[in-house]
Protein backbone atom coordinates (compact mmCIF):
# COMPACT_ATOMS: atom_id res chain seq x y z
CA UNK A 1 0.00 0.00 0.00
CA UNK A 2 1.27 3.44 -0.81
CA UNK A 3 2.54 5.34 2.19
CA UNK A 4 0.91 8.59 3.20
CA UNK A 5 2.72 11.83 3.93
CA UNK A 6 1.11 14.28 6.36
CA UNK A 7 1.94 17.93 7.01
CA UNK A 8 2.17 18.33 10.80
CA UNK A 9 0.27 20.96 12.76
CA UNK A 10 2.67 23.90 13.17
CA UNK A 11 1.21 26.65 15.33
CA UNK A 12 2.47 30.07 14.26
CA UNK A 13 3.95 28.81 10.98
CA UNK A 14 1.50 26.85 8.88
CA UNK A 15 -1.80 28.70 9.07
CA UNK A 16 -4.74 28.13 6.69
CA UNK A 17 -3.22 30.37 3.99
CA UNK A 18 0.21 28.77 4.22
CA UNK A 19 -1.36 25.33 3.98
CA UNK A 20 -3.54 26.30 1.04
CA UNK A 21 -0.72 27.76 -1.04
CA UNK A 22 1.61 24.95 -0.09
CA UNK A 23 -0.94 22.42 -1.37
CA UNK A 24 -1.54 24.40 -4.57
CA UNK A 25 2.08 25.17 -5.41
CA UNK A 26 3.99 22.12 -4.16
CA UNK A 27 1.56 19.36 -3.28
CA UNK A 28 3.13 16.19 -1.98
CA UNK A 29 1.21 16.04 1.31
CA UNK A 30 -1.94 13.95 1.61
CA UNK A 31 -3.25 15.82 4.65
CA UNK A 32 -2.63 19.09 6.45
CA UNK A 33 -3.40 19.50 10.15
CA UNK A 34 -4.57 22.67 11.84
CA UNK A 35 -2.81 23.85 14.98
CA UNK A 36 -4.80 22.67 17.97
CA UNK A 37 -8.25 24.14 18.46
CA UNK A 38 -9.30 24.68 22.06
CA UNK A 39 -12.11 25.87 24.25
CA UNK A 40 -11.66 29.48 25.29
CA UNK A 41 -14.17 31.23 27.52
CA UNK A 42 -16.53 28.30 27.25
CA UNK A 43 -16.59 27.90 23.45
CA UNK A 44 -14.38 27.05 20.46
CA UNK A 45 -12.61 30.22 19.32
CA UNK A 46 -14.57 31.99 16.62
CA UNK A 47 -11.38 32.71 14.65
CA UNK A 48 -10.41 29.01 14.57
CA UNK A 49 -13.85 28.05 13.27
CA UNK A 50 -13.86 30.80 10.63
CA UNK A 51 -10.44 29.66 9.35
CA UNK A 52 -11.71 26.11 9.13
CA UNK A 53 -14.64 27.29 7.03
CA UNK A 54 -12.15 28.94 4.67
CA UNK A 55 -10.08 25.76 4.42
CA UNK A 56 -13.24 23.84 3.56
CA UNK A 57 -14.07 26.29 0.77
CA UNK A 58 -10.50 26.23 -0.58
CA UNK A 59 -10.56 22.46 -0.71
CA UNK A 60 -7.21 22.05 1.10
CA UNK A 61 -7.21 18.49 2.50
CA UNK A 62 -7.39 19.53 6.13
CA UNK A 63 -7.73 17.68 9.41
CA UNK A 64 -8.79 19.84 12.34
CA UNK A 65 -6.93 19.05 15.54
CA UNK A 66 -8.45 19.55 18.99
CA UNK A 67 -6.94 19.74 22.47
CA UNK A 68 -9.08 18.96 25.52
CA UNK A 69 -8.90 18.08 29.20
CA UNK A 70 -12.35 16.62 29.76
CA UNK A 71 -15.24 14.88 28.05
CA UNK A 72 -17.12 18.18 28.16
CA UNK A 73 -14.43 19.97 26.19
CA UNK A 74 -14.16 17.04 23.78
CA UNK A 75 -17.94 17.04 23.23
CA UNK A 76 -18.09 20.79 22.73
CA UNK A 77 -15.26 20.82 20.19
CA UNK A 78 -16.30 17.72 18.26
CA UNK A 79 -19.93 18.89 18.10
CA UNK A 80 -18.85 22.23 16.63
CA UNK A 81 -16.71 20.45 14.03
CA UNK A 82 -19.25 17.75 13.18
CA UNK A 83 -21.99 20.43 12.79
CA UNK A 84 -19.76 22.16 10.24
CA UNK A 85 -19.38 18.97 8.25
CA UNK A 86 -15.90 17.84 9.30
CA UNK A 87 -15.42 14.09 8.95
CA UNK A 88 -11.90 13.77 10.32
CA UNK A 89 -10.73 14.96 13.71
CA UNK A 90 -7.28 14.63 15.25
CA UNK A 91 -6.85 14.50 19.03
CA UNK A 92 -3.81 16.19 20.58
CA UNK A 93 -2.15 13.96 23.19
CA UNK A 94 1.27 15.39 22.53
CA UNK A 95 1.47 19.09 23.37
CA UNK A 96 4.38 19.34 25.85
CA UNK A 97 3.92 22.91 27.08
CA UNK A 98 3.00 23.41 30.77
CA UNK A 99 0.35 25.98 29.77
CA UNK A 100 -1.63 23.00 28.48
CA UNK A 101 -0.27 20.01 30.41
CA UNK A 102 -0.71 21.68 33.84
CA UNK A 103 -4.39 21.95 33.02
CA UNK A 104 -4.52 18.30 32.00
CA UNK A 105 -4.44 18.81 28.23
CA UNK A 106 -2.09 17.54 25.52
CA UNK A 107 0.57 15.06 26.68
CA UNK A 108 -1.06 14.95 30.14
CA UNK A 109 -3.96 12.98 28.64
CA UNK A 110 -1.67 9.99 27.85
CA UNK A 111 -1.83 8.90 31.50
CA UNK A 112 -5.48 9.90 32.06
CA UNK A 113 -6.92 6.46 31.37
CA UNK A 114 -10.46 7.13 32.70
CA UNK A 115 -10.76 10.15 30.38
CA UNK A 116 -9.51 8.18 27.38
CA UNK A 117 -11.99 5.40 28.08
CA UNK A 118 -14.85 7.87 28.01
CA UNK A 119 -13.48 9.50 24.87
CA UNK A 120 -13.22 6.02 23.37
CA UNK A 121 -16.95 5.50 23.89
CA UNK A 122 -17.64 8.76 22.05
CA UNK A 123 -15.39 7.76 19.17
CA UNK A 124 -16.98 4.32 18.83
CA UNK A 125 -20.43 5.94 18.82
CA UNK A 126 -19.52 8.22 15.88
CA UNK A 127 -18.56 5.85 13.05
CA UNK A 128 -19.11 8.50 10.36
CA UNK A 129 -16.13 10.48 11.57
CA UNK A 130 -12.54 9.26 11.28
CA UNK A 131 -10.67 10.02 14.46
CA UNK A 132 -6.91 10.01 14.79
CA UNK A 133 -4.59 10.62 17.73
CA UNK A 134 -1.26 12.44 17.78
CA UNK A 135 0.78 11.47 20.80
CA UNK A 136 4.16 11.12 22.45
CA UNK A 137 5.43 7.93 24.04
CA UNK A 138 4.71 9.54 27.40
CA UNK A 139 4.42 12.75 29.37
CA UNK A 140 7.09 12.10 32.05
CA UNK A 141 8.29 8.58 31.19
CA UNK A 142 8.79 6.91 27.82
CA UNK A 143 6.76 3.82 28.70
CA UNK A 144 3.49 5.57 29.63
CA UNK A 145 1.95 4.58 26.30
CA UNK A 146 1.89 0.93 27.42
CA UNK A 147 -0.93 1.43 29.92
CA UNK A 148 -2.98 3.28 27.29
CA UNK A 149 -2.43 0.74 24.52
CA UNK A 150 -5.35 -1.63 25.42
CA UNK A 151 -7.75 1.33 25.22
CA UNK A 152 -6.20 2.52 21.95
CA UNK A 153 -6.39 -0.99 20.54
CA UNK A 154 -10.11 -1.18 21.31
CA UNK A 155 -10.78 1.91 19.16
CA UNK A 156 -11.41 2.14 15.43
CA UNK A 157 -8.89 4.93 14.81
CA UNK A 158 -7.87 6.06 11.36
CA UNK A 159 -4.31 6.15 12.68
CA UNK A 160 -2.09 7.13 15.58
CA UNK A 161 0.74 9.56 14.89
CA UNK A 162 3.64 8.81 17.22
CA UNK A 163 6.32 11.30 18.19
CA UNK A 164 8.76 9.16 20.18
CA UNK A 165 9.78 11.74 22.78
CA UNK A 166 8.52 12.70 26.24
CA UNK A 167 7.16 16.13 27.08
CA UNK A 168 10.25 17.59 28.77
CA UNK A 169 12.26 17.02 25.57
CA UNK A 170 9.91 19.28 23.61
CA UNK A 171 11.10 18.71 20.02
CA UNK A 172 14.79 17.93 20.59
CA UNK A 173 17.07 15.25 21.97
CA UNK A 174 17.18 11.49 21.45
CA UNK A 175 14.19 9.70 20.02
CA UNK A 176 12.99 6.66 22.00
CA UNK A 177 13.45 4.31 19.06
CA UNK A 178 12.96 1.08 21.04
CA UNK A 179 9.70 2.30 22.56
CA UNK A 180 8.59 3.36 19.10
CA UNK A 181 9.42 -0.06 17.66
CA UNK A 182 7.34 -1.80 20.33
CA UNK A 183 4.53 0.73 20.00
CA UNK A 184 4.33 0.07 16.25
CA UNK A 185 4.39 -3.70 16.83
CA UNK A 186 1.66 -3.61 19.49
CA UNK A 187 -0.70 -1.12 17.89
CA UNK A 188 -3.75 -2.59 16.17
CA UNK A 189 -4.35 0.82 14.63
CA UNK A 190 -2.18 2.05 11.75
CA UNK A 191 0.75 4.14 12.95
CA UNK A 192 2.27 7.23 11.39
CA UNK A 193 5.82 8.19 12.32
CA UNK A 194 6.56 11.75 13.37
CA UNK A 195 9.93 13.22 14.26
CA UNK A 196 13.12 14.56 12.70
CA UNK A 197 12.42 13.74 9.04
CA UNK A 198 14.25 16.40 7.03
CA UNK A 199 14.92 14.84 3.63
CA UNK A 200 13.38 12.31 1.21
CA UNK A 201 16.10 9.90 2.37
CA UNK A 202 14.99 10.27 6.00
CA UNK A 203 11.43 9.43 4.97
CA UNK A 204 12.52 6.37 3.01
CA UNK A 205 14.74 5.25 5.87
CA UNK A 206 11.90 5.27 8.38
CA UNK A 207 9.68 3.27 6.02
CA UNK A 208 12.47 0.73 5.56
CA UNK A 209 13.01 0.47 9.30
CA UNK A 210 9.27 0.12 10.04
CA UNK A 211 7.52 -1.37 7.02
CA UNK A 212 4.18 -1.56 8.86
CA UNK A 213 3.88 2.24 9.04
CA UNK A 214 0.88 3.76 7.30
CA UNK A 215 2.86 6.91 6.65
CA UNK A 216 4.96 9.73 8.00
CA UNK A 217 4.16 13.17 9.34
CA UNK A 218 6.61 16.00 8.80
CA UNK A 219 6.69 19.41 10.49
CA UNK A 220 9.96 21.33 10.55
CA UNK A 221 11.21 19.41 7.51
CA UNK A 222 8.40 20.89 5.41
CA UNK A 223 9.03 24.42 6.72
CA UNK A 224 12.73 24.12 5.87
CA UNK A 225 12.11 22.50 2.49
CA UNK A 226 8.55 22.99 1.26
CA UNK A 227 9.32 20.80 -1.79
CA UNK A 228 10.12 17.82 0.45
CA UNK A 229 6.87 15.96 -0.25
CA UNK A 230 6.97 16.57 -3.99
CA UNK A 231 10.62 15.47 -4.12
CA UNK A 232 9.92 12.34 -2.09
CA UNK A 233 6.91 11.38 -4.17
CA UNK A 234 8.64 11.80 -7.51
CA UNK A 235 11.83 10.15 -6.17
CA UNK A 236 13.66 13.03 -7.77
CA UNK A 237 15.55 15.75 -5.94
CA UNK A 238 15.08 19.40 -6.93
CA UNK A 239 18.14 21.57 -7.50
CA UNK A 240 18.63 24.87 -5.66
CA UNK A 241 17.38 26.99 -8.60
CA UNK A 242 14.14 25.08 -8.87
CA UNK A 243 13.61 25.22 -5.11
CA UNK A 244 14.20 28.99 -5.09
CA UNK A 245 11.86 29.48 -8.04
CA UNK A 246 9.03 27.70 -6.19
CA UNK A 247 9.89 29.49 -2.96
CA UNK A 248 9.50 32.80 -4.77
CA UNK A 249 6.03 31.83 -6.00
CA UNK A 250 4.97 30.49 -2.63
CA UNK A 251 6.15 33.56 -0.74
CA UNK A 252 4.64 35.98 -3.28
CA UNK A 253 1.19 34.44 -2.94
CA UNK A 254 1.34 34.21 0.83
CA UNK A 255 2.50 37.81 1.26
CA UNK A 256 -0.20 39.06 -1.13
CA UNK A 257 -2.83 37.15 0.85
CA UNK A 258 -1.62 38.64 4.16
CA UNK A 259 -1.52 42.12 2.64
CA UNK A 260 -5.10 41.85 1.48
CA UNK A 261 -6.48 40.37 4.71
CA UNK A 262 -4.47 42.03 7.50
CA UNK A 263 -4.36 45.62 8.68
CA UNK A 264 -1.09 47.46 9.05
CA UNK A 265 2.57 46.75 8.44
CA UNK A 266 3.25 45.40 11.92
CA UNK A 267 0.63 42.67 11.59
CA UNK A 268 1.72 41.71 8.08
CA UNK A 269 5.39 41.53 9.10
CA UNK A 270 4.52 39.52 12.19
CA UNK A 271 2.69 36.95 10.07
CA UNK A 272 5.11 36.68 7.15
CA UNK A 273 8.47 36.68 8.96
CA UNK A 274 8.11 33.19 10.47
CA UNK A 275 7.96 31.91 6.87
CA UNK A 276 11.75 32.29 6.77
CA UNK A 277 12.67 30.98 10.20
CA UNK A 278 13.42 27.42 9.16
CA UNK A 279 14.71 28.40 5.71
CA UNK A 280 18.09 29.81 6.70
CA UNK A 281 20.04 26.79 5.37
CA UNK A 282 18.34 27.38 2.01
CA UNK A 283 18.66 31.16 1.75
CA UNK A 284 21.84 31.78 3.78
CA UNK A 285 22.55 33.69 6.96
CA UNK A 286 22.79 37.18 5.45
CA UNK A 287 19.43 37.04 3.71
CA UNK A 288 17.80 35.47 6.75
CA UNK A 289 19.15 38.24 8.97
CA UNK A 290 18.01 41.01 6.61
CA UNK A 291 14.49 39.57 6.44
CA UNK A 292 14.34 39.10 10.19
CA UNK A 293 15.54 42.63 10.94
CA UNK A 294 13.30 44.45 8.45
CA UNK A 295 11.27 46.96 10.48
CA UNK A 296 8.99 48.13 7.68
CA UNK A 297 7.31 46.54 4.69
CA UNK A 298 9.51 48.58 2.36
CA UNK A 299 12.68 47.22 3.96
CA UNK A 300 11.21 43.76 3.98
CA UNK A 301 10.35 43.96 0.27
CA UNK A 302 13.84 45.16 -0.50
CA UNK A 303 15.34 42.19 1.41
CA UNK A 304 13.08 39.86 -0.60
CA UNK A 305 14.17 41.51 -3.87
CA UNK A 306 17.84 41.09 -2.89
CA UNK A 307 17.26 37.44 -2.08
CA UNK A 308 15.65 36.52 -5.38
CA UNK A 309 17.58 38.75 -7.79
C1 LIG B 1 6.54 25.83 16.31
C2 LIG B 1 5.82 24.51 16.50
C3 LIG B 1 4.42 24.51 16.61
C4 LIG B 1 3.73 23.29 16.79
N1 LIG B 1 2.35 23.26 16.90
C5 LIG B 1 1.71 22.05 17.11
C6 LIG B 1 0.27 21.94 17.28
O1 LIG B 1 -0.48 22.92 17.25
N2 LIG B 1 -0.26 20.71 17.46
C7 LIG B 1 0.52 19.59 17.52
O2 LIG B 1 0.02 18.47 17.68
N3 LIG B 1 1.86 19.67 17.35
C8 LIG B 1 2.45 20.86 17.17
N4 LIG B 1 3.81 20.90 17.01
C9 LIG B 1 4.56 19.64 16.91
C10 LIG B 1 4.73 19.23 15.44
O3 LIG B 1 3.47 18.95 14.86
C11 LIG B 1 5.63 17.98 15.32
O4 LIG B 1 5.06 16.95 16.09
C12 LIG B 1 7.05 18.25 15.80
O5 LIG B 1 7.56 19.44 15.23
C13 LIG B 1 7.96 17.06 15.47
O6 LIG B 1 7.94 16.80 14.09
P1 LIG B 1 9.14 17.31 13.12
O7 LIG B 1 10.41 16.75 13.70
O8 LIG B 1 8.79 16.76 11.77
O9 LIG B 1 9.13 18.81 13.17
C14 LIG B 1 4.48 22.10 16.86
C15 LIG B 1 5.89 22.13 16.74
C16 LIG B 1 6.56 23.31 16.58
C17 LIG B 1 8.09 23.30 16.48
Amino acid sequence: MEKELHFAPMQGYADHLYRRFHAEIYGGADWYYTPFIRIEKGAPRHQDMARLDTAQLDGTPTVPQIIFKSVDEFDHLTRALRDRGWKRIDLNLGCPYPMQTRRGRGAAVISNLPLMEQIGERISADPDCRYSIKMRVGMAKPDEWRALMPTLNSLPLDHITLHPRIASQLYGGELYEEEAREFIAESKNPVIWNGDLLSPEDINRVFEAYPQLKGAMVGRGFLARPSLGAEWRSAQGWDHDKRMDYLYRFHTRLLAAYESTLCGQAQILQKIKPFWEYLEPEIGHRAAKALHKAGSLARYQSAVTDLFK
Side-chain angles (χ1 to χ4, degrees):
M1 209 173 60
E2 202 173 325
K3 305 288 188 198
E4 293 185 2
L5 191 61
H6 294 197
F7 198 126
M10 296 298 284
Q11 172 81 44
Y13 293 86
D15 66 4
H16 63 301
L17 293 167
Y18 183 106
R19 299 192 301 268
R20 173 186 161 190
F21 298 132
H22 184 275
E24 288 179 10
I25 292 168
Y26 293 94
D30 296 287
W31 293 99
Y32 293 80
Y33 293 72
T34 71
F36 63 69
I37 298 168
R38 63 181 193 277
I39 295 289
E40 200 179 79
K41 297 185 188 130
R45 287 200 313 173
H46 175 72
Q47 190 191 35
D48 291 338
M49 291 294 138
R51 285 183 172 170
L52 276 174
D53 291 346
T54 315
Q56 216 163 27
L57 288 173
D58 294 339
T60 314
T62 302
V63 184
Q65 187 196 63
I66 61 170
I67 196 165
F68 55 89
K69 64 167 187 224
S70 63
V71 176
D72 274 356
E73 285 194 353
F74 176 89
D75 284 347
H76 209 133
L77 288 161
T78 50
R79 210 177 310 124
L81 292 171
R82 301 290 283 119
D83 286 350
R84 288 173 136 84
W86 291 92
K87 292 196 159 58
R88 283 179 182 256
I89 300 177
D90 190 61
L91 313 183
N92 182 316
L93 268 64
C95 181
Y97 294 109
M99 262 275 276
Q100 300 302 331
T101 56
R102 257 189 289 131
R103 297 181 166 91
R105 300 193 183 96
V109 179
I110 298 170
S111 56
N112 190 344
L113 301 185
L115 173 59
M116 279 314 288
E117 274 180 24
Q118 284 176 290
I119 299 285
E121 286 168 22
R122 300 295 208 270
I123 291 175
S124 301
D126 186 13
D128 295 337
C129 184
R130 298 171 82 163
Y131 288 91
S132 56
I133 288 180
K134 181 166 182 278
M135 64 183 283
R136 291 173 180 259
V137 282
M139 160 88 191
K141 295 207 204 90
D143 61 357
E144 281 172 29
W145 62 271
R146 290 169 194 271
L148 185 61
M149 191 51 94
T151 308
L152 295 176
N153 276 343
S154 71
L155 298 177
L157 297 171
D158 185 75
H159 63 266
I160 301 171
T161 305
L162 183 69
H163 182 65
R165 288 196 169 100
I166 58 171
S168 58
Q169 293 178 285
L170 303 180
Y171 302 107
E174 285 283 290
L175 296 168
Y176 284 99
E177 287 264 356
E178 257 326 296
E179 299 288 344
R181 182 178 301 283
E182 288 181 46
F183 186 106
I184 294 165
E186 285 189 28
S187 178
K188 293 205 166 82
N189 287 294
V191 178
I192 288 188
W193 176 278
N194 169 241
D196 299 4
L197 305 178
L198 299 174
S199 64
E201 295 75 33
D202 288 345
I203 298 172
N204 288 332
R205 213 171 295 128
V206 86
F207 290 150
E208 275 159 32
Y210 308 105
Q212 319 90 298
L213 288 173
K214 173 178 170 133
M217 174 187 276
V218 175
R220 291 164 295 182
F222 261 127
L223 299 181
R225 188 165 165 178
S227 56
L228 178 58
E231 291 184 72
W232 172 72
R233 247 174 232 297
S234 65
Q236 185 133 39
W238 292 15
D239 63 21
H240 182 71
D241 284 354
K242 182 167 178 183
R243 296 201 304 264
M244 289 302 284
D245 180 40
Y246 272 70
L247 203 56
Y248 175 78
R249 285 197 245 164
F250 187 20
H251 173 266
T252 303
R253 287 195 68 187
L254 192 58
L255 180 61
Y258 287 149
E259 284 179 325
S260 68
T261 52
L262 299 170
C263 284
Q265 298 197 27
Q267 264 202 50
I268 296 167
L269 287 172
Q270 194 193 353
K271 285 291 275 189
I272 195 70
K273 281 188 179 182
F275 179 85
W276 300 107
E277 264 173 45
Y278 287 87
L279 282 163
E280 187 169 327
E282 182 79 302
I283 63 173
H285 179 65
R286 265 192 54 192
K289 198 167 154 198
L291 289 159
H292 178 70
K293 276 179 59 184
S296 67
L297 258 183
R299 277 182 192 273
Y300 178 81
Q301 295 278 20
S302 129
V304 171
T305 307
D306 283 348
L307 170 64
F308 288 108
K309 81 176 166 214

